[in-house]
Amino acid sequence: MKARVTVTLKNGVLDPQGQAIEGSLASLGFGGVKGVRQGKVFDLVLDGSDEEAARTQLTGMCEKLLANTVIENYQIEISN
């Protein structure tokens, strides 16, 4: 089973890396970009075929390691 976890900053949390990327894009001639929010993507391969058990396990991973839940949100996608 494959899973993708996408971690992004919560609304209202400053994103200095996103701001730096936005500035760099402008200096490279890519005009019209009015905002960039940086995040992380984790692609995982899991044993088993129980989607509910996988979601529970992935949620634990996010809560304990993959995301700082004080300032970040996460989204879990599972595929076979």
Side-chain angles (χ1 to χ4, degrees), residues 2-80:
K2 295 181 181 180
R4 174 168 282 178
V5 176
T6 305
V7 180
T8 55
L9 290 170
K10 291 182 177 181
N11 289 333
V13 175
L14 294 178
D15 186 357
Q17 188 171 3
Q19 292 172 338
I21 293 167
E22 182 180 345
S24 294
L25 288 171
S27 69
L28 291 170
F30 297 103
V33 177
K34 299 297 180 194
V36 176
R37 300 287 285 175
Q38 168 268 329
K40 302 176 276 193
V41 174
F42 300 94
D43 289 324
L44 300 98
V45 178
L46 305 171
D47 288 335
S49 59
D50 183 343
E51 187 172 328
E52 186 176 329
R55 187 169 300 280
T56 299
Q57 185 178 27
L58 289 161
T59 298
M61 292 177 192
C62 291
E63 295 288 330
K64 293 180 180 179
L65 177 67
L66 300 180
N68 176 350
T69 57
V70 174
I71 62 169
E72 294 174 319
N73 293 317
Y74 60 88
Q75 178 181 351
I76 298 170
E77 300 171 47
I78 298 174
S79 61
N80 293 324

